Each structure stands twice: as C-alpha cells, then as structure tokens.
Amino acid sequence: MKILLTGFDPFDREKVNPAFEAVKLLPGTIAGAQIVKLEVPTQFVRAGEVLEAAMAEHKPDVVICVGQAGARAAITPEKVAINLMDGRIPDNAGYQPVDVPIRADGPAAYFATLPVKAMVQRMQDAGIPAAVSYTAGTYVCNSLMYTLLFLIDRKFPSVRGGFIHVPYAMEQAVNKPLGTPSMDLRQISRGLEKAVEAVVICGRDTAVPMGTTH
Ligand code: PCA
C-alpha cells in the first residue's frame, strides 16, 4: 500500500507550519505502507493543482492531507469538506475569495473516505488528544480536502482520502496569548503515525458515538 501525506507551507506570518514539519518527521514505512511526503502551498488554486499532479505521478492508494488549526488543542481528523471558499485573510498568493464555490460542478459537500473514528481511537489509545472534527473551516485546508474528494469522485475512484488538522507546534505558542493551545511536534507526528496505522488496519470505521451536541 502507498500513502501520500501532504502538509502545507507556513501562512499568516508564521515561520513554520506544524503540518508539514510533523509529516517530515514520519518514518518512510508505517504498518507496512510506503509513505510519500509532499509539501503543498497555502494557496486555494495551486494546492489542488500540486495535489492532482502528485496523485497522477505517485498513484497512491490513500491520500491524507494535513493542515494547521491553530485554535485546536487536539489532532482532529475531518469528517466533511464543503464546497465553499471564504477567506478571513488572503492566501499565500494574495487571493481572498468570499463566498465562492470551489467547484461549480461539484456537490455541496463530501465526506472523508477514511475511518475517522478509528483514527481518533488509535491516537487516544496512545495517549494523544484527538477528536473527530465536523468542520474543516472555509479556508485553504477545507478547499484542499474538498478538491481531494472531488478528484477521487471524478478521476481516481479507487483512492481513499481525507484530512487531518493539527494544533500549533509548541514554539509557535511562545509569543501568543496565555492559554493558546499547542502540541510538541514529535507528539503531533506520533499522532499522525497512529492515525495512518488505523487507516492501514481498519477497512470499515468503528461504530462508537463521537458526535457532538452542538
Ligand atoms: N491551515 C489552513 C490553511 C493551511 C493550513 O495549514 C486552514 O486550516 O485552512
């Protein structure tokens, strides 16, 4: 099995993006699966183009995109991506769409085709804070997740795919307000490794309740 893992470059005046830093720390093989690592730009349009080219080149069985979610204290596999771009800030190319669909010919939303609950469970079993997330936001991460699932739907039907948001790396929180959540990069990477193990091991997701009441 071959798994393509992507991580974004830094954005919003940050010096690092914990997503690609944690992906870089991963071993080359996880649970027998070959890991291919790819940095993608934090740009609405270009990120999807780079991903599509990499999927055509590497022909992965699974694609997992990883991004930074600075306000979160846990590693969060995303359940759903929506067909909407609404940038609070411009992307790294200066593009700031407001209420623009990602694909005019695409559905309103796609679900991840990865076992998100099993991924969360395996991270928690390893002592790493993790939770299912039911919104990937409206910025470049949601856009890349939607584009990935659109590409799987229309062009690469045998591929399974999804997205994981990770907290700030600890060093990013140093000059931020007290209480800003963060996680050690090695723990983020260990969490990603556990999540990948779950993808390799679990065909169907575990049916334990993890939904929210709000
Ligand atoms: N996080 C942003 C975009 C790039 C990243 O790492 C997001 O959550 O949309």
Side-chain angles (χ1 to χ4, degrees):
M1 184 186 288
K2 193 192 274 188
I3 303 183
L4 174 64
L5 271 142
T6 74
F8 284 99
D9 65 0
F11 68 106
D12 200 13
R13 298 188 305 274
E14 295 291 339
K15 290 199 186 66
V16 295
N17 190 319
F20 192 56
E21 296 304 317
V23 166
K24 277 195 288 189
L25 291 175
L26 288 170
T29 306
I30 298 175
Q34 182 194 343
I35 304 300
V36 178
K37 306 168 187 180
L38 174 74
E39 187 176 29
V40 290
T42 302
Q43 298 178 24
F44 281 102
V45 177
R46 192 77 195 116
E49 292 171 352
V50 170
L51 176 67
E52 185 171 358
M55 288 174 75
E57 182 191 341
H58 297 290
K59 301 185 173 41
D61 303 290
V62 173
V63 180
I64 306 174
C65 301
V66 185
Q68 163 191 308
R72 295 189 187 167
I75 300 178
T76 50
E78 297 291 347
K79 179 71 182 175
V80 61
I82 60 173
N83 191 6
L84 180 72
M85 297 186 283
D86 196 309
R88 182 180 57 75
I89 55 171
D91 69 10
N92 284 354
Y95 177 48
Q96 188 175 12
V98 175
D99 289 337
V100 178
I102 298 163
R103 300 277 176 158
D105 57 338
Y110 282 111
F111 286 127
T113 52
L114 301 180
V116 289
K117 289 180 173 178
M119 293 158 76
V120 165
Q121 191 74 63
R122 198 164 178 93
M123 288 192 271
Q124 290 179 341
D125 288 348
I128 297 163
V132 177
S133 164
Y134 296 92
T135 173
T138 56
Y139 196 49
V140 181
C141 287
N142 171 74
S143 182
L144 185 63
M145 181 181 173
Y146 184 92
T147 301
L148 165 63
L149 295 168
F150 180 90
L151 289 170
I152 288 172
D153 186 27
R154 307 287 164 103
K155 199 172 165 188
F156 305 100
S158 64
V159 177
R160 290 190 294 152
F163 195 98
I164 303 176
H165 262 123
V166 301
Y168 282 135
M170 261 161 51
E171 46 272 41
Q172 290 177 279
V174 169
N175 289 316
K176 292 199 170 58
L178 203 61
T180 299
S182 67
M183 196 181 281
D184 183 274
L185 262 181
R186 281 161 304 188
Q187 297 308 326
I188 296 177
S189 191
R190 201 165 67 89
L192 293 180
E193 189 172 347
K194 294 290 156 196
V196 170
E197 284 173 11
V199 171
V200 174
I201 294 163
C202 305
R204 195 186 299 183
D205 206 356
T206 42
V208 291
M210 286 193 187
T212 62
T213 52
H214 58 270

